[in-house]
Structures are given as C-alpha cells and as structure tokens.
Amino acid sequence: WLQGWLAGCNTKVGGDYFDFTAPDLAGNDHTLSKEIAGRVALIDLWGSWCASCRKHSKELIPLYDKYKDRGFTVVGVAREYDNADAMKTAIKRDGYPWLNLLELDDRLGIWKRYGIGNAGGGRFLVGRDGKILA
C-alpha cells in the first residue's frame, strides 16, 4: 500500500510515468513502456461506469485520428469491477480506436500509483522522453 501511495505522490508534471503491464480484453498482456516508446502518449484512465470519463475519451477520437500517424498514441486503461462486460460494451458503443487495457478490481493498483486512487479517472500526457507533460 505504502509503495503505491508514494509512487502516486511522485506522479507529477516533469516526473516519470508509472510503467505497468496489464491485459487487453483478449487476455494478452501489454507493457505500457513498450506501447508508448518514442511517442507522445496520452494515458487515459477511465471506467465504463464513469460518464464524464467516457465523454472526455470520446472527445479524444478526432485528435487521435489527426495525429496518430505523426507519433501520437492513446492507451486507455479501464478500471472495472467483477468483470469486463461493461467495458466491452462501452468500447463498442463509444468507438475508441486505441489500445484499451483492463484494471480489474484494482489488482494492479494503477490508480493509486498515478495518485488518483479515489477518482473515477484521469489523463496523463507523456512526452517522447517518458516525462509527464500534463
């Protein structure tokens, strides 16, 4: 617990992002650092149950489409409970074209490590050098 809390305190503009490995909906593990290496990336922490998160994620689609071929990517991480059924429905309904990973029942502690343990979601813009820009 303490390690996750301390990591969250260090997640700030100019600092390093927290790397993790999480599964996609097919059960394949993805390591964040490999997915965003050398790119400008938006880490989008969202949940199917969070209406404002989904609204903001949908607003990213035109930006992603415009800049994806110029070194920009988005990696979504859905915070879900019990199962991923609602996540699957949300992705299909909202049309997110980027990689989405699953944080099931907070097993990986991703939200805590990003300093937003009690939040519904959050976004972190990471530069090509791995530093948090915003």
Side-chain angles (χ1 to χ4, degrees):
W1 173 88
L2 182 60
Q3 183 180 13
W5 181 80
L6 289 172
C9 292
N10 293 322
T11 305
K12 58 187 174 198
V13 172
D16 295 322
Y17 69 93
F18 167 69
D19 198 17
F20 58 85
T21 300
D24 61 20
L25 287 170
N28 301 310
D29 282 341
H30 296 266
T31 300
L32 181 62
S33 58
K34 292 178 183 177
E35 298 297 334
I36 68 172
R39 304 171 91 183
V40 174
L42 186 72
I43 302 166
D44 184 23
L45 304 179
W46 66 284
S48 63
W49 42 268
C50 176
S52 64
C53 297
R54 290 179 57 187
K55 177 183 177 283
H56 294 304
S57 295
K58 284 172 49 174
E59 291 169 351
L60 286 173
I61 295 171
L63 181 71
Y64 173 80
D65 288 340
K66 183 174 181 177
Y67 293 105
K68 68 182 178 185
D69 295 329
R70 296 177 17 196
F72 174 70
T73 194
V74 175
V75 175
V77 185
R79 183 185 209 183
E80 299 297 313
Y81 300 96
D82 296 325
N83 62 61
D85 294 346
M87 176 188 176
K88 291 175 189 174
T89 300
I91 291 171
K92 184 175 180 178
R93 182 174 292 148
D94 297 346
Y96 309 140
W98 47 77
L99 174 65
N100 275 282
L101 305 176
L102 174 63
E103 166 69 305
L104 189 61
D105 299 322
D106 287 325
R107 290 182 190 147
L108 302 172
I110 295 170
W111 265 245
K112 287 180 187 170
R113 292 178 186 242
Y114 275 92
I116 59 169
N118 292 325
R123 292 178 170 170
F124 298 85
L125 184 64
V126 177
R128 294 178 195 275
D129 63 355
K131 300 291 182 191
I132 297 174
L133 301 172

